[in-house]
Amino acid sequence: MADLVLATPLAEVQRMVLEHDWAATPLGPVEGWSPTLLSTVSACMNSRFPMLLIWGTELVMLYNDAYAPLLGARHPKALGRSLSDVWSDIWPTLRGMVDEVHAGAATFSEDLLLVTSRDGFDEETFFTFSFSPVVEPGGQVAGILDTVVETTGRVLAARRMTVLQRLGSLPRSVHGGTAAACAAVLGVLAEARADCPFGLVYLLGPDAHTAGLVASFGIDGDGERAEQLFPAQVREAMASRSVVATSGLATALPGFSSARASPAGEADVDAAFVLPLSVAGQTAPVGAIVLGASPHLRIDADYRSFLTLAAGHVSAAVTDAQAVQAERRRAEERAEFDNARAQFFTEVAVTLQRAVLGPTVLPEGFAVHYEPASGTLEVGGDWYDVVDLPGNRYGVVVGDVVGRGLPAAAVMGQLRSAIRALLLESHSPAHVLAALDRFAELVPGASCSTVFCAVVDPAEGTMRYSSAGHVPAIVVDADGAARFLTAAGSLPLAVVDDLVRPERDVVLTPGSTVLLYTDGLVERRDEDLDQGMDRAVAAVADGRHLAPAALAELLTDQLLSDAPDDDVAFLLYRTPA
């Protein structure tokens, strides 16, 4: 073998190649090997990358130390034998590639699934490799150089990671109970039977002593056999708080479960692992999960880790389900108290509503609507008012206090009373709001409240208004033309000292409709405020021929059907035709 140039010291397979009786193979004694064969063997033997040389029409195999582990139990007998004999189980796949290379073309395969029995069982394996022609002087293809990497570990890891990610994305705390939560997790594992041929979940019952089967998948036989087969292992896993391996299922229960989902073919599952299920806050396991192991995969550390992580997702689902059940029990216990509290708030709210919201009998041409955001109160921080003024005029007000519920309602009541008194003293909306600024400075919680104040003169067909940071009123004429009243806008209450408030007069043509409102009528989380205001304009224009009360009902149906998150108050006025 002096013609072979090998690095020193010699590795195991290199020594085997030197000591092999090549004269007994189709290659003949080394002394008769061609320079091309000698140089290719030397390059292959000296490489640390897995390489296989396939020489001649007999396809004789020579390989290096890095390639030997890929053969499994077939090494070292594979040395000097034919590729078609050594890899007979995958020869139907390799034959076409060999023919293609002998024709002068190289091949490349990435993560190719090959079902091999290299270690005595049909195993899912994946390889990335290239068959390249080795050409003698003169152009004849004399051999094939196979550079190869086994990617089984990476492919299986990616496949299993996909399953774990799906388990991690399951919605939590949405199931009716622990059994339903376990079934949801097993539903994901049931679609990954190449790695988990079957699964069974056992949970402790009400007596906290016996674990019963609550969810399963992949059982080809009946569930009664499953309940009889694993109780002892379940008890052992829960008592020891460790994984319990069990085997012999294919013999004890033939047909109990098969790995039909595996690309390696169908075979009875023989081994399974029983893993305890632990719940946060509880010292002892609450049950166990039995997960079958594929007969076509190596049961190595990575496989065991995957099964352990899958069991962890079942434990998380049980934890969430128990937390939901506990919360439901607490909710039921609070229900009676909450009902009594709600009744109390309702009685308080009714009293407040009657005291501060506004007149219950409105002048002709007016309509109003009020709707609080809080379900337990009938009042909040929004309000409307219509004040009778000398000369058959009316003061109209819509306001919005920052906040909700009873505190906002208390501030609202004070502001409403103050502005009502100010309107009776001064018929100038700007003067009224300027005085209200000074009053709001003295009322905790009144700062930044918004108010739209106006004086309507039905005989003259005019309205004088001023706005303290409020959403603009809407005027829709009888012919449908619409406009926003924005000319007399300024800052909310009590923001700037000695603020001069503007006011403007607007002509209201016969049959016009005026809408004063708070932002709860038009503001929604999923759209701009301008969109909501445009929607309000369209609704008023569509219903401008209706009586004010009917128009108020139309606005309520069209604009408040989606249960707004804020208090709502609006006031409608229709000028005489």
Side-chain angles (χ1 to χ4, degrees):
M1 300 296 285
D3 293 320
L4 277 177
V5 181
L6 301 181
T8 56
L10 294 177
E12 178 186 4
V13 176
Q14 288 178 320
R15 186 175 296 106
M16 289 180 180
V17 170
L18 291 175
E19 297 172 354
H20 195 76
D21 183 11
W22 293 107
T25 72
L27 297 185
V30 175
E31 291 75 12
W33 289 8
S34 70
T36 302
L37 175 57
L38 288 170
S39 63
T40 307
V41 171
S42 297
C44 175
M45 292 299 108
N46 289 324
S47 175
R48 298 181 63 182
F49 197 87
M51 287 187 178
L52 164 68
L53 180 61
I54 309 163
W55 198 260
T57 57
E58 296 85 358
L59 306 178
V60 178
M61 292 176 54
L62 298 93
Y63 51 87
N64 61 11
D65 284 85
Y67 183 87
L70 278 59
L71 289 161
R74 294 172 179 175
H75 172 71
K77 294 181 179 180
L79 195 63
R81 293 178 58 199
S82 172
L83 176 75
S84 60
D85 292 336
V86 174
W87 290 111
S88 59
D89 44 6
I90 59 174
W91 177 241
T93 301
L94 299 181
R95 183 199 304 270
M97 300 180 186
V98 170
D99 292 342
E100 187 176 348
V101 177
H102 278 157
T107 70
F108 178 76
S109 301
E110 184 175 8
D111 295 335
L112 180 65
L113 169 65
L114 296 172
V115 180
T116 72
S117 54
R118 58 185 177 178
D119 284 314
F121 69 98
D122 292 338
E123 178 187 1
E124 284 185 62
T125 60
F126 297 86
F127 296 89
T128 293
F129 60 96
S130 174
F131 280 179
S132 304
V134 180
V135 183
E136 290 278 16
Q140 180 183 359
V141 176
I144 300 172
L145 183 61
D146 175 22
T147 51
V148 56
V149 173
E150 181 171 359
T151 58
T152 303
R154 181 179 60 77
V155 172
L156 293 181
R159 187 171 80 186
R160 292 163 181 169
M161 181 59 66
T162 299
V163 176
L164 295 173
Q165 287 174 340
R166 289 189 58 198
L167 291 173
S169 64
L170 283 174
R172 300 299 190 191
S173 305
V174 296
H175 306 297
T178 53
C182 293
V185 176
L186 293 192
V188 174
L189 293 177
E191 298 178 11
R193 293 189 63 189
D195 291 293
C196 288
F198 74 85
L200 307 100
V201 175
Y202 294 79
L203 294 179
L204 289 175
D207 60 2
H209 296 294
T210 305
L213 181 64
V214 298
S216 66
F217 76 90
I219 302 174
D220 298 331
D222 57 66
E224 293 183 3
R225 290 198 297 172
E227 290 194 84
Q228 297 169 1
L229 182 63
F230 296 107
Q233 294 93 322
V234 168
R235 287 193 296 272
E236 181 182 353
M238 293 176 63
S240 64
R241 303 184 187 181
S242 60
V243 180
V244 175
T246 181
S247 59
L249 300 180
T251 301
L253 288 175
F256 172 72
S257 181
S258 64
R260 65 168 62 93
S262 171
E266 187 167 345
D268 283 349
V269 178
D270 189 68
F273 293 88
V274 187
L275 303 98
L277 299 176
S278 299
V279 172
Q282 299 189 33
T283 57
V286 297
I289 182 172
V290 183
L291 292 174
S294 171
H296 303 302
L297 297 174
R298 297 178 183 272
I299 302 177
D300 53 16
D302 290 340
Y303 200 172
R304 291 173 181 266
S305 177
F306 165 69
L307 297 178
T308 300
L309 291 172
H313 283 286
V314 177
S315 295
V318 172
T319 300
D320 287 342
Q322 288 187 348
V324 170
Q325 289 176 323
E327 180 59 30
R328 286 174 179 169
R329 287 193 297 269
R330 288 192 292 269
E332 292 172 358
E333 293 171 356
R334 291 195 304 263
E336 184 176 352
F337 169 76
D338 288 342
N339 288 336
R341 185 177 62 176
Q343 181 63 32
F344 167 75
F345 279 131
T346 299
E347 293 174 357
V348 171
V350 169
T351 302
L352 278 172
Q353 184 182 40
R354 292 173 179 173
V356 301
L357 262 185
T360 56
V361 179
L362 297 170
E364 184 177 355
F366 286 91
V368 294
H369 179 81
Y370 178 80
E371 190 168 318
S374 177
T376 57
L377 287 175
E378 294 188 13
V379 292
D382 293 9
W383 85 94
Y384 62 82
D385 205 351
V386 180
V387 182
D388 287 322
L389 300 177
N392 295 321
R393 290 176 299 175
Y394 301 103
V396 289
V397 180
V398 170
D400 186 352
V401 172
V402 177
R404 300 179 184 175
L406 202 54
V411 175
M412 176 270 287
Q414 296 181 69
L415 292 181
R416 175 188 171 270
S417 298
I419 198 170
R420 189 177 182 88
L422 291 169
L423 274 168
L424 292 172
E425 291 294 329
S426 173
H427 302 159
S428 167
H431 293 168
V432 168
L433 292 184
L436 194 63
D437 272 324
R438 295 188 291 274
F439 178 79
E441 292 175 356
L442 306 176
V443 178
S447 178
C448 294
S449 299
T450 66
V451 181
F452 188 97
C453 178
V455 174
V456 176
D457 189 333
E460 296 294 331
T462 60
M463 182 173 75
R464 178 170 295 178
Y465 72 95
S466 183
S467 173
H470 203 73
V471 286
I474 297 169
V475 178
V476 177
D477 296 335
D479 61 1
R483 59 192 185 278
F484 292 105
L485 302 185
T486 59
S490 58
L491 297 174
L493 295 179
V495 173
V496 175
D497 293 337
D498 300 323
L499 178 64
V500 177
R501 298 284 181 180
E503 67 180 17
R504 293 291 187 277
D505 289 323
V506 60
V507 176
L508 303 177
T509 59
S512 297
T513 304
V514 181
L515 173 64
L516 279 60
Y517 56 97
T518 57
D519 56 9
L521 182 70
V522 295
E523 191 172 41
R524 298 295 179 269
R525 293 181 180 178
D526 57 348
E527 67 179 12
D528 294 335
L529 182 62
D530 289 343
Q531 292 177 271
M533 293 166 60
D534 290 341
R535 193 171 58 250
V537 169
V540 175
D542 289 344
R544 67 185 185 277
H545 302 302
L546 298 174
L551 178 55
E553 293 181 4
L554 177 68
L555 296 182
T556 301
D557 292 339
Q558 291 190 4
L559 304 181
L560 300 180
S561 60
D562 55 350
D565 298 326
D566 199 1
D567 301 330
V568 175
F570 68 80
L571 180 149
L572 284 166
Y573 169 65
R574 174 73 48 73
T575 64

